[in-house]
Amino acid sequence: MEASRKDRLRLVFSSAWLAWMLVIATRQIIRFFPAPDAELNGDAYWTYLPNARLFLANPWSFLTTEPSSFYVAPLSYVWPALWGANPVLIQVANSGLYLLSVLLMWRLATRLGGLGAGMVATALLVRFPELTSYVPQVLTEPLYMFGLLLFLAGLVDYVLAGKRRFCWLALATTGLAVTLLARPVLQLFSVMALIGLLCLFMVRYASPNRLSGWERVVNRHTVIALTLALSLPLLTVAKNGLCFDYWGISTGAGSGLFYGVSPFKMGVEPVYGGFGYDAGITAREAAPATQGHPLHVQSDQIQSRAALSIVQSTRFKDNAVFFWFKLKAWMLYGPEDTVMRPRLRQFRLFEWLSIGGAAGCLACRRWRVTRTSGLKTRLPSPDYFTPWRLGLCAFILLLALGMAGQLLPVLYNIRYNIFLLDLLLMPLAGVGIAFMAKVLSANTPRSGWRNPLQFSGGTVLVVLLMALTGALSRSTARDVSWSMDPTRPGPTELVLGPDALGTPTLSNARLISPGAWELSAPATLSVPITLGKPLSFMDGIWRFKLAISARHPNRECMDVAVSLDHPSAETSWYVPRPIIRVNLDGKSHLYAIRGNGALRPSDSGRLNLVFQCPRGTVVQWHGAQLLRSSMPEAVRALVTKGEPINPYRVDDIQQIN
């Protein structure tokens, strides 16, 4: 009777919580649902919808004769085609997938960590910054999200359930197939999993006693299911290979790698650094037959080759620094993301701290059990956090870490980070909070108080962690800075050098030696620029050489604002801060910043650097130069002559006085 009452209360509470989460999710969808006259995103306008219309007009001809059928994954046009390539219907359908994903996240997290885990995970899903803004769009992310959560929920229930296991396995198979056909980022992991599973199955078949206890996972049903999940993607690869001589699900990896290892763009979305998208220009320069289409097969190969050449031509130390920057961006969100949307880093820190806290509690529990007898009854009950549940959590965590490793050389942006990593971390964060709450209430003398204490402890943990991570994120947003390596800007050519720059002057300062001043107050260094002709190129890079010594260093002095008397117009939706972060050690250093938009001169005038430094600061000016990126020409030389791409620029900067 008592158990039945608890089950009813659990059902009522679960239904009420899910209803609340679905209401919040619906309100989020309504908030971000595009207006009828809103512009479509570029991927939808140029790729997904045109492909869907061609597919509807003649499916077989499109799949076998039209190269654009493999420029993107199949479901990116098949799914829109199911809705008649009508943007509004697709947006509504994607919104429906999001609501279903909330239910799947609840199922996944509650099966792993109980009601508390489900509450935290679903709350993260419906309140996560920026996530819902991508849902009512003509994009593949909602479909990928639904497929991923269907796969994970089905897999977890298949391993843990006592009945209807084949139904859950079928759902997991379907979900994995959907992810591979919508956004094939799991293809490498899936193939590796199939190979590993086959090896384990053969070992178990040859010696059944060697893997005793693994029969729930290592069996012929899982082998068949994983093979079926890979069958449609493999058929797609075969179709592309036989019809177009391209043996892959889709192109696009080349441009992702090309942008992802770009030295001056630092591997992040080019607009964050104030730069342009040059993959198409580069492909057209190296191979005119591509017509500048970045998804063309030849373009894809050229971009991949260029990315590999950049990495190979970079010194090990510089590669380590570059990819460490990328790793931090993928794991904690990038610097510009932190400035624009501090809550992104707040939520990511919350996820990592929840997972780390639970891992620490588990390690402590194991240590105490091994060192002291009789403590098991006072620690989290193994009846719920069983080895299988912990093993499944470890699998999802390894998948997230593997995904981060796979993404290191790939273009970084917010959308990829949210959907490829946060969807894996959310259920783990829920489990982490639930586990820590269980630890806190483990020593409760009365069992009837245990559940209320767990709920209260979990609530307190969530509030404290969100407050802590919020403070950390806001602090980071105030201090964050990033820039390219000024000695490794990629292939460049000099546009404005010493001959175009005049003698500098510095306000609120006295000259103490040629090119050096002592500041009496915040000052502006002005350098005359003589422009012989209009500057017309895609990406420009300013390099400065300065030495600054401050008696009382502060953050304001480290941030030097750069401006021009006659700037060009900004054309991008986002304008990065025109600031360089300088060293105050009195030594000469090179610095680099974009030379586009407001930092590209449209006429002769002055280059201005503003120093917000205290009295007594010494500034020594060595010179500046404006470069243009010659990456397209370097890639052409790589393709036509086999010349490796040299990402370094070794010339010194000297001011002619």
Side-chain angles (χ1 to χ4, degrees), residues 535-615:
L535 305 179
S536 179
F537 47 87
M538 174 171 278
D539 287 323
I541 301 168
W542 279 106
R543 293 206 310 168
F544 308 104
K545 189 174 182 181
L546 294 166
I548 305 172
S549 176
R551 296 178 182 175
H552 306 288
N554 55 46
R555 188 174 67 242
E556 289 76 15
C557 186
M558 295 173 67
D559 292 337
V560 177
V562 183
S563 64
L564 293 166
D565 284 354
H566 301 289
S568 299
E570 294 285 1
T571 58
S572 176
W573 64 269
Y574 177 70
V575 179
R577 297 165 297 166
I579 292 174
I580 56 173
R581 176 66 61 90
V582 299
N583 291 295
L584 305 177
D585 57 5
K587 299 178 181 178
S588 298
H589 295 279
L590 282 173
Y591 304 97
I593 194 173
R594 67 191 176 102
N596 298 336
L599 295 186
R600 180 178 299 180
S602 62
D603 201 350
S604 299
R606 290 176 299 176
L607 168 69
N608 304 304
L609 280 73
V610 180
F611 299 89
Q612 299 291 340
C613 294
R615 181 185 182 90

Side-chain angles (χ1 to χ4, degrees), residues 143-417:
L143 195 58
Y144 171 82
M145 172 173 57
F146 172 76
L148 177 67
L149 293 177
L150 182 63
F151 162 63
L152 292 176
L155 175 65
V156 167
D157 261 303
Y158 171 72
V159 175
L160 300 178
K163 53 185 178 180
R164 294 193 295 273
R165 297 183 68 227
F166 292 135
C167 294
W168 292 114
L169 186 59
L171 291 176
T173 303
T174 304
L176 181 57
V178 168
T179 65
L180 294 173
L181 294 171
R183 187 169 284 279
V185 291
L186 295 178
Q187 57 184 338
L188 178 61
F189 300 120
S190 300
V191 173
M192 292 171 60
L194 180 59
I195 295 172
L197 194 58
L198 279 171
C199 292
L200 292 174
F201 180 73
M202 292 172 64
V203 170
R204 182 169 175 264
Y205 182 81
S207 304
N209 295 329
R210 294 188 64 180
L211 291 174
S212 59
W214 285 70
E215 60 274 1
R216 296 185 71 85
V217 175
V218 182
N219 55 63
R220 68 177 184 276
H221 303 298
T222 53
V223 173
I224 293 172
L226 190 50
T227 303
L228 289 175
L230 288 167
S231 59
L232 282 177
L234 288 174
L235 285 174
T236 302
V237 172
K239 184 270 295 182
N240 292 340
L242 294 174
C243 297
F244 305 103
D245 197 27
Y246 176 75
W247 298 92
I249 294 178
S250 62
T251 60
S255 58
L257 292 171
F258 179 70
Y259 288 130
V261 301
S262 172
F264 67 97
K265 296 171 185 174
M266 289 298 290
V268 303
E269 195 78 45
V271 69
Y272 292 168
F275 297 107
Y277 295 80
D278 58 346
I281 294 174
T282 301
R284 184 171 60 244
E285 179 76 19
T290 64
Q291 298 182 345
H293 198 308
L295 298 179
H296 190 280
V297 174
Q298 195 174 0
S299 299
D300 202 61
Q301 295 169 346
I302 290 170
Q303 292 156 2
S304 297
R305 185 177 174 185
L308 180 61
S309 179
I310 291 171
V311 174
Q312 290 176 333
S313 301
T314 300
R315 292 187 289 266
F316 176 82
K317 179 183 176 181
D318 294 330
N319 269 329
V321 171
F322 179 86
F323 286 112
W324 174 245
F325 170 82
K326 290 288 297 290
L327 180 63
K328 290 189 293 183
W330 283 113
M331 301 296 275
L332 295 172
Y333 283 95
E336 290 300 313
D337 301 336
T338 303
V339 173
M340 293 186 292
R341 307 170 183 89
R343 292 180 69 231
L344 281 169
R345 177 167 287 205
Q346 177 187 6
F347 274 64
R348 179 61 66 81
L349 283 173
F350 174 85
E351 291 167 344
W352 283 124
L353 289 178
S354 300
I355 296 167
C361 289
L362 181 62
C364 181
R365 174 182 182 273
R366 297 295 185 193
W367 178 77
R368 291 172 63 189
V369 167
T370 56
R371 289 185 59 88
T372 309
S373 61
L375 280 179
K376 285 188 177 182
T377 56
R378 291 184 288 160
L379 292 168
S381 171
D383 293 339
Y384 202 88
F385 290 101
T386 61
W388 277 115
R389 283 188 167 87
L390 296 176
L392 287 166
C393 290
F395 166 76
I396 297 174
L397 179 59
L398 287 174
L399 186 60
L401 295 176
M403 184 73 74
Q406 178 182 253
L407 293 171
L408 272 184
V410 178
L411 169 68
Y412 167 88
N413 69 21
I414 291 177
R415 178 158 51 107
Y416 297 166
N417 207 349

Side-chain angles (χ1 to χ4, degrees), residues 20 46-47 59 67 69 140 145-146 171 185 217 250 254 267 279 426 429 503 507 509 516 603 607 656:
W20 186 27
W46 295 107
T47 306
S69 66
T140 58
M145 172 173 57
F146 172 76
L171 291 176
V185 291
V217 175
S250 62
M426 288 176 191
T503 302
S507 64
D603 201 350
L607 168 69
I656 299 177

Side-chain angles (χ1 to χ4, degrees), residues 491-545:
T492 52
E493 291 185 0
L494 184 66
V495 176
L496 298 177
D499 295 341
L501 303 178
T503 302
T505 58
L506 192 64
S507 64
N508 298 324
R510 67 181 183 88
L511 187 68
I512 57 176
S513 64
W517 298 263
E518 182 178 333
L519 275 59
S520 58
T524 299
L525 187 149
S526 298
V527 183
I529 298 176
T530 302
L531 205 63
K533 60 181 179 179
L535 305 179
S536 179
F537 47 87
M538 174 171 278
D539 287 323
I541 301 168
W542 279 106
R543 293 206 310 168
F544 308 104
K545 189 174 182 181

Side-chain angles (χ1 to χ4, degrees), residues 423-440:
L423 290 178
L424 295 170
L425 298 178
M426 288 176 191
L428 296 180
V431 173
I433 294 293
F435 189 90
M436 288 189 287
K438 201 171 185 68
V439 169
L440 292 174

Side-chain angles (χ1 to χ4, degrees), residues 43-58:
D43 290 340
Y45 184 82
W46 295 107
T47 306
Y48 299 154
L49 291 178
N51 284 0
R53 296 183 184 110
L54 291 172
F55 178 77
L56 285 171
N58 193 329

